[in-house]
Amino acid sequence: MTNRPTAKENAKRFASVVQALQACENACNHCATECNKNGHAEAMARCISVCTDCAQYCAVTRAFLERNSEFAELLLEDCAEICSQCAEACDHHDQGHCTACAAACRACLDACLKVAGVEAVTTEPTVF
């Protein structure tokens, strides 16, 4: 059995990613709320759905990191992928909240991959 870092050691290691996860969660929740306003829900359905999923996954990942779960690092790469998909969905709309959300998602993606020890890979956007 390997020795796991202590909660204090991980708090330092994870500080930047925890902040990025919180910022992304907030941006995604705001984006989903704004997309639902003014009768845009149907046109923005995928954006709303992906933003909601991303916000929830960021919250779960952050909670695992904050409580020093032995499984926390397993969530980071998946969270990065969800952030990537969310950024791509938001890129299809010229709303200010979508632009801000995409930026927060990309920052979170980078933070997650950095802590997970994986370099970001630029790929072609997924088309749905």
Side-chain angles (χ1 to χ4, degrees):
M1 186 162 151
T2 61
N3 290 335
R4 288 187 44 240
T6 66
K8 187 175 182 178
E9 291 167 336
N10 273 342
K12 285 183 180 179
R13 182 174 167 227
F14 295 143
S16 64
V17 74
V18 166
Q19 290 175 351
L21 287 160
Q22 181 68 61
C24 188
E25 178 186 352
N26 292 342
C28 288
N29 281 328
H30 178 70
C31 189
T33 298
E34 291 301 311
C35 287
N36 258 319
K37 290 183 177 178
N38 303 321
H40 292 109
E42 189 172 316
M44 308 287 267
R46 180 156 194 281
C47 190
I48 294 165
S49 176
V50 175
C51 283
T52 301
D53 289 346
C54 190
Q56 290 179 357
Y57 208 90
C58 284
V60 167
T61 303
R62 184 173 46 82
F64 273 56
L65 291 169
E66 288 176 338
R67 67 179 178 78
N68 201 31
S69 168
E70 66 182 284
F71 303 110
E73 293 184 59
L74 296 174
L75 301 175
L76 291 169
E77 286 185 58
D78 290 338
C79 190
E81 176 60 29
I82 293 168
C83 287
S84 175
Q85 294 291 321
C86 189
E88 288 177 21
C90 287
D91 283 342
H92 293 293
H93 307 287
D94 62 355
Q95 307 291 323
H97 52 83
C98 288
T99 302
C101 186
C105 286
R106 287 193 174 90
C108 190
L109 179 157
D110 290 342
C112 286
L113 292 180
K114 182 178 178 182
V115 171
V118 178
E119 289 193 31
V121 178
T122 306
T123 60
E124 293 296 316
T126 304
V127 179
F128 290 91

